[in-house]
Amino acid sequence: MFLTSSGLTGMLSLSNMKKFYVTTPIYYVNDKPHIGTVYTTIVADVLARLHRQLGDEVMFLTGTDENSLKSIEGAKKAGMKDIQEYVTGMSSTFRETFLALGLSFDRFIRTTSNEHKKAVELFYKKVKDKGDIYKGFYEGLYCRGCEAFITESDLVDGKCPFHPNKEPEKIREENLFFRASAYRDQLLEHIDKNPSFVQPASRKNEIVNYIKDHFTDVSITRQSMEWGIPAPDESGQVLYVWFDALLNYLSGVGFGLDQDKFSKFWPADVQLVGKDIIKFHCALWPAMLLSAGLPLPRTVYAHGFYTVNGQKIGKSNNNTIDPLDLKKDYPFDTIRYFLLREIPFGEDGDFSFERLKIRYESDLANDYGNLVMRFAAMTEKYLNGIVEPISHATVKDAALKLFVDLKFSDGLELVWKRISWANKEIDSQKPWVLAKEEKTSEIRELLGKIRFTIQDATEALQCIMPETAKKVLEIVNQGKIVAVAEPIFPKKHDE
Ligand code: MSP
């Protein structure tokens, strides 16, 4: 049993992990963050806060992927000659945006940092010493959008399905190759024996088929590139951006620099990725780790894609919503709630302003906000602000358990059932009638249960809506409850 912030007791059996290491993909810096890219970081933030609440020692890593061709293109577009200066500026835009949104990362890794480069060199050496790097000729297609070598079988109408506006380039050059195919069987066996490795389970077949049919040795360098980490001991070869970028998950926790930290946090517990980059994370990445003799992450979770009002997010559709703009219209907690409630995590979904407004008004302002306001006002009016919480049906542990399993919308649905119950209980017992009949003990019993329910539900919501939860707990945890002057979720007016 443990004591929660409100002094209530609950079971601490939800997590027996001592440490919790969660990662996001690192972001390309050719564009500023938009709601799609911020989504993964919000989910990681929810998990980080949740595990801190459960008493785990958390490492939440995010950062920027800077050694990409996209950085050269981005600098050119911005009219900047100095690529390093460009990526430094863009990287801090990401960092500052995440901070402004209250995202509680523990480390922000940059792939142009010296510590990352050192980790990459060390890792490269391990793989080379194992005999898994050899010279060869690469001849084939390269998609600049994916930053990946692609095969004819990947193409749809002659174009990459993820980047139909970018013609794949034909490349023929001498490269270094990573002997990924040597790990094919071991990987398939790992996926088979560890159902939690590829999540959601619906993605497993896609990965297994890919590894069986298409997973070959991978070219891990590019010739005569002006930007990136040079392959150690190989003049004229620069490491392929994915080989370098994936290693941020190791360099971010001290690989090669701080062995204690590294052995404490690695392997990662949850690596969040978008569905477009699942192959890199569930095939290339674990093969690299197997070659280097390192343990594999416990779970790689691929989420779906958000569209905006039905359209793919992108500059060409002129719909890249800046999360900082959204924050001006809605408290950011509202956006977090919406993103996690509206679409079951893992599936694709639409960010519709109409749906956001509906969720805001009905779930947040009407159901939750009103419940807290009514409770505070009635407790002040009928009980002089004094009421003890009365233990009642709890939702917290069940909801947190669902959140631990990344079933955010299911957990939130459960919490809202309790919130609805509380509102209905007030409506049916009508404390204003009980007051006329001077039935104070009935009012005390009712509001005691309501107080407990608000505390219990709000403690479950802490990781999803941290600022709101703090505000609500301050209201309901006071010795003497007073009516709330300002609505917790003010009414929105259309311009
Ligand atoms: N740099 C690589 C990742 C390297 S990780 C070793 C990359 N960067 S990215 O900036 O293009 O994308 C980062 C993440 O944002 C990916 O997980 C991608 O799937 C996600 N999203 C980009 N647009 C998105 C939406 N519209 N909706 C949801 N997620 C989106 O890939």
Side-chain angles (χ1 to χ4, degrees):
M1 301 288 266
F2 71 108
L3 215 56
T4 64
S5 52
S6 64
L8 304 172
T9 52
M11 299 292 290
L12 185 66
S13 55
L14 288 164
S15 163
N16 46 21
M17 282 182 263
K18 292 241 161 24
K19 65 92 187 172
F20 180 77
Y21 178 24
V22 60
T23 67
T24 71
I26 47 172
Y27 301 96
Y28 290 132
V29 290
N30 57 332
D31 201 357
K32 55 183 189 160
H34 61 67
I35 198 67
T37 48
V38 161
Y39 177 52
T40 326
T41 319
I42 292 177
V43 175
D45 182 71
V46 168
L47 287 177
R49 287 175 190 271
L50 169 66
H51 282 270
R52 287 186 199 119
Q53 188 178 358
L54 294 174
D56 292 339
E57 186 173 355
V58 170
M59 171 57 68
F60 164 13
L61 178 74
T62 190
T64 41
D65 186 353
E66 303 175 21
N67 297 320
S68 148
L69 287 175
K70 292 174 195 288
S71 300
I72 309 178
E73 285 165 8
K76 217 182 259 171
K77 236 188 222 164
M80 288 173 74
K81 284 215 173 69
D82 187 337
I83 303 170
Q84 185 60 50
E85 192 186 330
Y86 169 77
V87 296
T88 299
M90 286 303 285
S91 175
S92 53
T93 301
F94 269 88
R95 197 169 190 279
E96 295 305 317
T97 304
F98 290 171
L99 287 173
L101 299 175
L103 299 170
S104 63
F105 54 88
D106 298 295
R107 275 232 55 197
F108 189 96
I109 184 83
R110 296 185 56 193
T111 54
T112 54
S113 64
N114 282 335
E115 59 185 310
H116 177 73
K117 284 184 196 158
K118 278 204 180 115
V120 170
E121 282 161 11
L122 177 69
F123 188 91
Y124 177 90
K125 194 172 176 312
K126 274 183 186 276
V127 175
K128 193 173 176 189
D129 290 350
K130 181 84 182 283
D132 283 339
I133 290 179
Y134 64 91
K135 262 197 182 144
F137 260 98
Y138 179 80
E139 186 162 10
L141 299 171
Y142 191 85
C143 170
R144 275 182 179 244
C146 296
E147 286 280 22
F149 301 101
I150 55 174
T151 59
E152 293 285 342
S153 66
D154 293 325
L155 304 182
V156 176
D157 297 332
K159 304 277 175 59
C160 162
F162 292 115
H163 303 96
N165 299 331
K166 286 188 178 157
E167 198 72 41
E169 291 166 39
K170 281 211 168 77
I171 287 180
R172 182 182 150 78
E173 57 185 39
E174 189 177 39
N175 287 163
L176 294 173
F177 281 74
F178 166 54
R179 210 180 297 283
S181 60
Y183 299 96
R184 196 184 285 139
D185 292 345
Q186 222 177 319
L187 256 175
L188 289 170
E189 195 187 330
H190 184 84
I191 293 173
D192 187 46
K193 288 203 172 132
N194 297 276
S196 58
F197 179 64
V198 181
Q199 286 289 326
S202 54
R203 300 257 173 221
K204 196 174 130 181
N205 278 349
E206 174 189 340
I207 288 302
V208 168
N209 291 338
Y210 169 73
I211 295 174
K212 276 188 185 153
D213 302 338
H214 301 290
F215 192 50
T216 52
D217 291 354
V218 187
S219 162
I220 54 157
T221 57
R222 296 291 314 273
Q223 230 177 31
S224 18
M225 290 270 296
E226 55 175 309
W227 186 245
I229 302 180
D233 319 323
E234 290 290 339
S235 71
Q237 297 278 353
V238 167
L239 285 175
Y240 167 47
V241 63
W242 275 96
F243 189 85
D244 141 9
L246 286 163
L247 295 174
N248 89 86
Y249 303 131
L250 304 184
S251 63
V253 283
F255 178 71
L257 277 181
D258 184 343
Q259 187 53 37
D260 286 350
K261 185 172 178 185
F262 182 67
S263 18
K264 181 194 267 180
F265 288 110
W266 189 259
D269 295 280
V270 179
Q271 298 212 260
L272 296 168
V273 298
K275 64 176 183 178
D276 54 331
I277 55 175
I278 187 172
K279 286 179 193 164
F280 294 105
H281 284 83
C282 291
L284 174 60
W285 175 224
M288 286 165 61
L289 290 166
L290 288 173
S291 170
L294 292 169
L296 305 191
R298 299 213 161 83
T299 293
V300 175
Y301 199 110
H303 63 70
F305 258 47
Y306 260 97
T307 48
V308 170
N309 292 330
Q311 283 190 310
K312 189 170 181 271
I313 304 179
K315 277 188 186 155
S316 47
N317 283 331
N318 200 19
N319 64 354
T320 51
I321 304 175
D322 184 336
L324 293 176
D325 285 342
L326 264 183
K327 193 172 174 261
K328 289 179 201 148
D329 294 335
Y330 287 94
F332 200 63
D333 275 4
T334 307
I335 309 297
R336 293 168 67 104
Y337 171 78
F338 177 74
L339 289 172
L340 293 172
R341 174 76 196 259
E342 185 73 0
I343 314 289
F345 189 59
E347 293 174 21
D348 289 337
D350 190 42
F351 190 100
S352 131
F353 284 95
E354 206 177 310
R355 294 288 309 151
L356 170 64
K357 191 159 182 270
I358 292 173
R359 286 271 180 209
Y360 179 83
E361 282 173 3
S362 86
D363 299 8
L364 297 176
N366 270 355
D367 295 347
Y368 183 43
N370 247 351
L371 175 66
V372 178
M373 305 281 290
R374 293 168 98 190
F375 162 78
M378 289 190 279
T379 305
E380 182 185 286
K381 186 165 176 194
Y382 304 129
L383 302 173
N384 280 328
I386 305 296
V387 69
E388 286 302 314
I390 299 175
S391 259
H392 197 57
T394 164
V395 75
K396 181 178 156 187
D397 287 358
L400 294 190
K401 172 103 187 50
L402 286 164
F403 296 159
V404 166
D405 292 339
L406 287 85
K407 293 187 175 133
F408 304 111
S409 53
D410 291 349
L412 287 170
E413 207 179 314
L414 221 58
V415 174
W416 252 257
K417 277 195 181 136
R418 286 310 296 160
I419 291 174
S420 298
W421 169 85
N423 274 319
K424 278 188 199 133
E425 197 65 6
I426 297 175
D427 292 343
S428 70
Q429 296 217 26
K430 300 185 178 55
W432 48 96
V433 175
L434 295 175
K436 276 190 195 138
E437 295 164 359
E438 292 181 6
K439 291 183 174 163
T440 311
S441 64
E442 272 94 336
I443 299 179
R444 193 173 300 286
E445 163 104 18
L446 169 71
L447 294 181
K449 282 183 189 166
I450 300 296
R451 177 172 172 178
F452 175 87
T453 302
I454 294 174
Q455 285 171 331
D456 181 65
T458 303
E459 283 170 13
L461 292 176
Q462 269 169 325
C463 60
I464 311 270
M465 301 201 289
E467 281 179 23
T468 308
K470 188 166 173 263
K471 213 190 267 179
V472 171
L473 288 176
E474 272 166 19
I475 297 168
V476 294
N477 284 347
Q478 297 172 99
K480 190 168 175 167
I481 310 276
V482 286
V484 187
E486 292 291 319
I488 298 162
F489 299 97
K491 195 135 190 70
K492 294 266 156 215
H493 298 286
D494 293 324
E495 296 93 68

